[in-house]
Amino acid sequence: MIVCKFGGSSVADDKQIRKVKAILDADKRRTIAVVSAPGRRSTGDDKITDLLYECNRLAQQNRSCRPVFEKISDRYLSIAKGLKLDEGRLIPALDEIRQGIDAGRGTDYAASRGEYLSGLIIAAYLGWEFVDPADYIVINSDGTVSPITYERLSVRFADGGRYVIPGFYGSTPEGVIKTFSRGGSDISGAIASRAAKAELYENWTDVSGIYAADPRIVKNARVISELTYKQVRELSDVGASVFHEEAIAPVIEAQIPINIRNTNEPDAPGTMIRAESSSRSLIGISGKGGFSRIKIRKLMMFRSPSEFFPFRH
């Protein structure tokens, strides 16, 4: 079994979603798809999640989010129309979400609805089962994932079907919608992979893997073919735009490899991330700017006060 996570650029419009279907159809082991909210279609376009955050901001000011929400509705209805789905079936869900945001259901509820709607549309298009993570993924107050999550999802996936599950959110132990941090669909993909005991977790995005250097700075930067979990964490710590620790933690314990692939170049092998690698060469170069480092030195800095004042009472 292979779990596939598709990022915002991969589900930005109906043309991209058709690519997603072709990828899933190309390998019958791909039976679980974790989907993000639609991202930008071009420079200057809006991300759906950003529009939802704006809707929530307006609601908190006791202003209607209807004008902004119309952009969201138009986007999803356009996607549904392009996929030749019945647009009318989506309208009740859109109305319910807008009313929920205006009623003040909160930031996490508003932000999560982008993935929720993506999941509904893509499940309908593929003819796969829709799995709402709010019913299965339990997120504790400190942002960690409750172990019961894996038990619930394992049971849900046990019947051998094909599933679409929205990324980015779950619910609190009390059943209230709760999101992960931005980029949390990567975490959702890792959770689903572990719960399903997947042989591979494919993360489909708009780049053909992890580059050895920032391609915006270094022309013709090469894609790293193989990395270890540890190396990914080290690169991320010093500024590389790769998975953060939360997004790989669920699969590390289960030793599930991750393959970063490009939805627009599906034949490219991408970058494989494993527990161990045979490569001993230089992996890559990254850097982080916008901060200063201060180093303080003082003789005897860490001596206790009693050592300077050894008086007895």
Side-chain angles (χ1 to χ4, degrees):
M1 178 187 295
I2 297 174
V3 172
C4 299
K5 179 263 177 177
F6 294 94
S9 62
S10 300
V11 297
D13 57 26
D14 61 287
K15 297 181 182 64
Q16 290 297 99
I17 293 173
R18 290 182 190 280
K19 294 178 184 178
V20 167
K21 184 179 187 302
I23 288 167
L24 294 170
D25 289 345
D27 191 330
K28 297 303 180 184
R29 295 175 298 167
R30 294 171 175 147
T31 56
I32 299 175
V34 179
V35 298
S36 298
R40 293 189 181 94
R41 294 162 291 187
S42 60
T43 303
D45 194 16
D46 294 309
K47 291 183 178 180
I48 288 294
T49 303
D50 290 339
L51 292 174
L52 287 165
Y53 276 121
E54 175 63 11
C55 284
N56 182 69
R57 186 187 68 81
L58 292 169
Q60 290 178 336
Q61 297 175 352
N62 294 318
R63 298 163 60 191
S64 174
C65 73
R66 187 183 293 270
V68 176
F69 197 83
E70 284 181 0
K71 296 181 181 179
I72 296 170
S73 295
D74 289 347
R75 181 82 167 272
Y76 281 110
L77 292 172
S78 173
I79 290 173
K81 182 178 180 180
L83 296 175
K84 301 187 184 309
L85 298 174
D86 182 357
E87 304 160 64
R89 297 184 64 181
L90 198 60
I91 291 174
L94 289 165
D95 287 343
E96 179 182 352
I97 291 167
R98 180 185 57 76
Q99 292 166 13
I101 295 172
D102 272 341
R105 290 192 61 179
T107 303
D108 285 20
Y109 171 79
S112 71
R113 298 304 85 185
E115 277 74 11
Y116 174 79
L117 289 166
S118 273
L120 288 179
I121 289 175
I122 293 171
Y125 176 58
L126 296 174
W128 291 17
E129 295 181 55
F130 174 79
V131 176
D132 190 343
D135 298 329
Y136 299 93
I137 297 178
V138 179
I139 306 173
N140 297 319
S141 58
D142 61 357
T144 59
V145 179
S146 171
I148 197 173
T149 293
Y150 301 106
E151 298 174 21
R152 290 178 174 179
L153 280 176
S154 292
V155 172
R156 183 66 180 85
F157 295 151
D159 63 4
R162 300 168 80 85
Y163 312 95
V164 173
I165 178 168
F168 189 35
Y169 74 95
S171 62
T172 67
E174 296 73 33
V176 178
I177 296 292
K178 185 174 177 63
T179 60
F180 293 111
S181 59
R182 291 295 291 260
S185 291
D186 288 336
I187 304 175
S188 301
I191 290 169
S193 298
R194 177 174 166 180
K197 298 179 176 59
E199 61 190 270
L200 179 65
Y201 168 30
E202 292 181 339
N203 192 290
W204 293 85
T205 181
D206 56 0
V207 294
S208 297
I210 297 174
Y211 288 92
D214 189 335
R216 295 169 299 182
I217 300 172
V218 180
K219 292 182 179 180
N220 301 318
R222 68 176 179 84
V223 172
I224 304 169
S225 60
E226 189 175 74
L227 285 167
T228 65
Y229 300 131
K230 181 180 178 181
Q231 288 167 339
V232 169
R233 292 166 65 190
E234 289 172 345
L235 285 170
S236 179
D237 285 345
V238 292
S241 297
V242 294
F243 287 140
H244 51 88
E245 193 167 11
E246 287 179 280
I248 61 173
V251 297
I252 289 178
E253 187 174 338
Q255 300 289 283
I256 298 170
I258 304 168
N259 193 190
I260 299 176
R261 305 283 294 272
N262 189 341
T263 302
N264 302 313
E265 296 180 11
D267 293 331
T271 298
M272 187 69 74
I273 304 170
R274 310 177 188 274
E276 297 181 359
S277 172
S278 58
S279 174
R280 294 293 180 268
S281 60
L282 176 67
I283 297 297
I285 300 170
S286 65
K288 183 182 290 187
F291 71 99
S292 299
R293 181 177 181 180
I294 300 174
K295 190 169 186 178
I296 300 174
R297 287 187 142 188
K298 184 178 183 299
L299 186 64
M300 310 291 279
M301 178 183 290
F302 299 108
R303 298 287 292 277
S304 67
S306 62
E307 293 179 89
F308 291 102
F309 304 101
F311 301 114
R312 295 184 180 180
H313 297 285

